[in-house]
Amino acid sequence: MYRALPRVHARRPGTARTCVLLALLAASGAAILDLVREQTGTPGFFVGLGLALLPVPPLMAAFRWLGRAAPGPWGQVLFCFGWGACAAALIAILANSFATEWIAAAATDPSDADQLGSVAIAPVVEESAKAAALLLVFVFRRRHFTGPADGFVLAGFTATGFAFTENILYLGNAFGEDLDSGVGVLESMTAATFFVRIMLSPFAHPLFTVLTGLGFGAAVLACRRRTRIGLPLLGLTGAMATHAVWNSSSELGEYGFYLVYGLVMVPVFALLLWAALRAQRRQLHTLRGELAVYASAGWLDPAEVAALASLPARALARSLARRAGGRAAARTVAAYEADAAALALLRHRARRGGPERMPDFVDREAELLGRLAGRRATAGPALCRAALLEELVAPPRAVPRGPRALPAQTSRPLDSSQAIGSMVEPPLVRTSR
């Protein structure tokens, strides 16, 4: 029977910061709703709200699916969505309006202000406002920011929230214009705006901001301070440049939009999707390698490691647990899978960066091992069964019977100090070449 590690009782850091951020999001949410309703009118606001909601669940599900190898806390991704929808949108509306008015007052031709604001000002302001959410997570919740895959997911949720609020504004204004002109539905600005923003390019804002997220995700794994600073800035620059190219499509003539869409947006989207799937495969490979060390120390069964490194097997394990113990058992298996992934990625980062970059590694490892030990009675059999059904491990051989049969040898797991010492110290010894 596995011995659970002592529960680590520590003061939860950042509680005051969390309250401040939640208060900021609530205040900015109330302000942005009132501002958008004022610009669109009450009927336009509710029409825009209903239409803008349509792409949100599919986009959130898609980004969550891309991060399923090592899913982060729901609270973190919802914070990023709320930041994009409330704080980033409010900053963008106020800053874009101020910059456009200032350019119009200074320029000889006021019509140039909208073009310059759309191509030069809006990409810088909007991408910087969205990047602030990633920066906050990167600085204050580094333990949940494990690599490019997390950057992809967090950036996608942030940009989805931002696009949601922006779509309310665009669709609400279009509906107000249609009410004034009295056009039919098919010829309306609302239908055209819905087709372009909701049907044709719902991934536009996520595509831009994902470049920033990948920069932050790569910075998590970087060892040099200069690299950790430069990679997010490089990603942010790429997001601004891509955003500017997209906004300039309307100035390239009648077919400029389709030209930019086909030659820039679609290829970049395909490239980023490939990068996300590749990052997911690398995470699974890392899980298999790092968790094998814990299996050799007795904390996991080798069949569990095989199942945890396979997304179909993990899904099957949750299904088997649900059939046997209901939804509570399935949630236990899901939590076990998430903690195991977090443990593997924690150890991987510690080996890459060394103990000086992760002073709390031992405490964090002990916390995750304790949680795994507490859930293993439910999750372990389900994962082992899933690994067997998915043919990830060979079926057990029959034990010979009779008086000459030897008793099966069972390995006794190490205690907490032995396990942590044997698993941590050798990989963290850095040798000079």
Side-chain angles (χ1 to χ4, degrees):
M1 185 174 183
Y2 277 68
R3 181 185 302 174
L5 290 176
R7 187 178 297 274
V8 177
H9 294 283
R11 182 178 61 87
R12 297 182 63 183
T15 303
R17 290 194 299 265
T18 302
C19 294
V20 171
L21 286 175
L22 291 178
L24 177 62
L25 285 182
S28 59
I32 193 67
L33 288 176
D34 184 67
L35 184 60
V36 171
R37 187 196 59 79
E38 182 180 350
Q39 292 190 21
T40 61
T42 301
F45 172 78
F46 284 107
V47 170
L49 177 64
L51 296 177
L53 272 173
L54 295 178
V56 172
L59 285 172
M60 293 176 69
F63 282 109
R64 193 67 176 176
W65 182 84
L66 289 172
R68 59 187 175 147
W74 266 108
Q76 185 167 279
V77 295
L78 292 179
F79 162 77
C80 288
F81 178 86
W83 181 275
C86 301
L90 181 62
I91 293 171
I93 289 178
L94 296 178
N96 286 338
S97 299
F98 173 79
T100 303
E101 291 175 2
W102 182 79
I103 294 173
T108 56
D109 187 0
S111 63
D112 294 338
D114 290 334
Q115 179 181 354
L116 184 60
S118 174
V119 176
I121 304 299
V124 175
V125 171
E126 294 176 8
E127 295 307 322
S128 298
K130 289 182 284 184
L134 303 177
L135 179 62
L136 289 171
V137 177
F138 183 81
V139 172
F140 298 113
R141 289 293 185 270
R142 185 77 63 88
R143 65 165 56 181
H144 298 306
F145 211 140
T146 60
D150 285 328
F152 199 100
V153 173
L154 295 177
F157 270 81
T158 304
T160 299
F162 184 90
F164 166 65
T165 302
E166 191 178 66
N167 286 336
I168 297 175
L169 184 62
Y170 276 91
L171 290 165
N173 285 332
F175 183 76
E177 294 179 12
D178 293 337
L179 284 181
D180 294 337
S181 60
V183 298
V185 175
L186 296 180
E187 299 83 12
S188 64
M189 282 293 298
T190 305
T193 304
F194 180 85
F195 175 74
V196 172
R197 297 189 66 87
I198 306 299
M199 301 294 295
L200 200 58
S201 58
F203 57 84
H205 272 289
L207 185 148
F208 309 143
T209 313
V210 157
L211 296 175
T212 307
L214 291 177
F216 276 104
V220 171
L221 302 177
C223 298
R224 296 182 179 181
R225 178 180 178 86
R226 182 184 305 175
T227 307
R228 292 199 300 270
I229 297 175
L231 287 175
L233 292 177
L234 181 62
L236 178 60
T237 302
M240 293 176 180
T242 311
H243 196 158
V245 171
W246 173 249
N247 285 359
S248 66
S249 62
S250 60
E251 308 297 333
L252 300 179
E254 182 179 359
Y255 300 102
F257 171 82
Y258 300 101
L259 184 67
V260 173
Y261 186 85
L263 297 181
V264 178
M265 299 295 287
V266 172
V268 172
F269 174 80
L271 179 63
L272 290 177
L273 181 60
W274 171 84
L277 294 175
R278 185 171 183 270
Q280 186 182 85
R281 290 194 296 269
R282 291 185 64 180
Q283 276 191 329
L284 293 173
H285 180 74
T286 300
L287 261 64
R288 180 183 293 273
E290 301 293 350
L291 292 179
V293 181
Y294 293 97
S296 65
W299 287 98
L300 299 172
D301 190 280
E304 292 180 60
V305 176
L308 289 168
S310 168
L311 293 176
R314 284 159 64 166
L316 178 59
R318 295 192 297 271
S319 178
L320 293 173
R322 185 181 298 108
R323 295 175 191 173
R327 293 183 179 179
R331 287 194 295 267
T332 299
V333 175
Y336 187 89
E337 294 170 351
D339 286 338
L343 178 64
L345 296 177
L346 175 77
R347 190 173 190 277
H348 181 66
R349 289 168 56 199
R351 288 198 304 108
R352 287 177 60 97
E356 64 277 0
R357 284 196 57 201
M358 299 190 67
D360 63 338
F361 171 76
V362 173
D363 292 338
R364 177 65 174 157
E365 183 193 48
E367 177 188 351
L368 289 170
L369 284 172
R371 279 156 47 176
L372 288 176
R375 297 186 175 111
R376 192 167 185 270
T378 299
L383 287 166
C384 291
R385 178 65 176 166
L388 184 62
L389 293 176
E390 289 289 324
E391 299 182 350
L392 302 176
V393 294
R397 295 181 179 180
V399 179
R401 298 180 180 179
R404 295 184 180 181
L406 296 177
Q409 298 294 323
T410 57
S411 59
R412 183 174 180 269
L414 305 176
D415 60 28
S416 59
S417 61
Q418 291 174 325
I420 294 175
S422 63
M423 287 184 285
V424 175
E425 291 175 2
L428 294 185
V429 174
R430 303 181 66 87
T431 60
S432 59
R433 296 183 179 180

